[in-house]
């Protein structure tokens, strides 16, 4: 019934960019120390010409003439039970409450374009393979200056030629000859 039978409290539509998922391969040494690197990601970025508004330079969005900025339209119709009032998302502005009269030519009024972005990636030491590390707000940009999505970084552990990882333990296979095993010996083994 809305907010206490008296009326409805509505907010206009805002857009959130889609999340992305990328794989990052890490060696056992990188996993033991952690890494800091810059990665290039292809994604939707904010349009540089209109700065995400979707409007041609020097123009602004205008209040929607159909919903008067609320983002919703109310229809009243007669039914056998009396007058029925329904509220739906405004078809003109799709719930934004504003419309663009002069669209940006680069993004066609969307406020985002497909491009590349360089992201600083910092993964702490001790992650495991198939672990998902989330970077908040680094995903696809949202339409019309909406909130950016997230990037989910899937850690993929590369096979090490020397060591075998077993959870938090590192295993090294040392091959000994029979005399070494029977009499003992001093041997150097590699470590990380």
């Amino acid at each position: 019934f809305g907010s206490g039978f008296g009326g409805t409290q509505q907010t206009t539509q805002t857009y959130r960019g889609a999340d992305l998922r990328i794989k990052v391969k890490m060696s056992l040494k990188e996993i033991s120390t952690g890494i800091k690197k810059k990665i290039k990601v292809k994604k939707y970025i904010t349009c540089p010409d209109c700065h995400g508004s979707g409007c041609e330079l020097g123009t602004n969005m205008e209040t929607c003439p159909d919903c008067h900025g609320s983002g919703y339209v109310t229809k009243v119709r007669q039914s056998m039970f009396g007058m029925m009032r329904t509220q739906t998302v405004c078809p003109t502005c799709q719930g934004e409450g504003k419309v663009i009269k002069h669209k940006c030519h680069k993004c066609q009024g969307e406020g985002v374009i497909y491009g590349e972005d360089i992201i600083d990636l910092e993964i702490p030491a001790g992650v495991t393979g198939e672990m998902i590390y989330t970077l908040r707000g680094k995903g696809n940009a949202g339409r019309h200056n909406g909130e950016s999505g997230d990037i989910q970084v899937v850690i993929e552990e590369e096979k090490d030629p020397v060591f075998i990882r077993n959870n938090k333990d590192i295993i090294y296979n040392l091959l000994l000859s029979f005399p070494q095993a029977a009499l003992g010996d001093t041997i150097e083994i590699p470590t990380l």
Side-chain angles (χ1 to χ4, degrees):
F1 294 107
S3 54
F5 296 107
T8 58
Q9 184 178 1
Q10 301 291 344
T11 56
T12 55
Q13 171 74 34
T14 56
Y15 295 102
R16 184 179 188 277
D19 293 343
L20 297 173
R21 182 175 275 210
I22 59 173
K23 281 189 176 183
V24 173
K25 291 185 178 185
M26 293 178 69
S27 68
L28 195 54
K29 182 170 176 137
E30 289 175 326
I31 287 172
S32 69
T33 60
I35 60 166
K36 288 182 183 178
K37 63 164 81 172
K38 293 183 184 292
I39 56 172
K40 193 183 286 187
V41 178
K42 291 187 179 216
K43 64 176 190 164
Y44 284 99
I45 59 173
T46 302
C47 176
D49 287 5
C50 66
H51 307 290
S53 70
C55 301
E56 194 63 50
L57 202 60
T59 64
N60 292 318
M61 292 179 97
E62 298 176 6
T63 303
C64 177
D66 292 345
C67 67
H68 307 290
S70 71
Y72 295 86
V73 290
T74 303
K75 294 179 182 174
V76 179
R77 63 183 177 95
Q78 181 69 38
S79 74
M80 61 187 219
F81 300 111
M83 300 297 279
M84 295 294 290
R85 191 170 121 179
T86 58
Q87 192 173 44
T88 58
V89 173
C90 178
T92 306
C93 66
Q94 280 77 45
E96 284 190 68
K98 297 182 182 262
V99 291
I100 300 172
K101 289 237 174 166
H102 306 285
K103 294 181 178 180
C104 171
H105 293 293
K106 187 163 193 155
C107 66
Q108 282 75 43
E110 295 295 312
V112 294
I113 59 169
Y114 197 71
E116 288 183 341
D117 194 12
I118 295 174
I119 295 170
D120 292 320
L121 180 63
E122 185 173 347
I123 299 177
V127 294
T128 58
E130 301 305 317
M131 182 181 274
I132 297 175
Y133 189 73
T134 304
L135 298 172
R136 302 268 177 227
K138 300 292 184 180
N140 286 318
R143 291 178 53 212
H144 301 157
N145 288 321
E147 180 185 355
S148 291
D150 300 333
I151 291 183
Q152 296 175 343
V153 180
V154 179
I155 307 300
E156 191 173 294
E157 186 176 329
E158 293 176 330
K159 188 172 181 179
D160 194 88
V162 178
F163 299 108
I164 299 167
R165 183 174 178 190
N166 183 13
N167 293 325
K168 294 183 181 179
D169 298 325
I170 295 175
I171 300 168
Y172 175 68
N173 282 329
L174 176 63
L175 299 175
L176 298 174
S177 65
F178 184 75
Q180 286 175 313
L183 302 173
D185 200 354
T186 302
I187 297 171
E188 283 189 8
I189 61 167
T191 65
L192 289 172

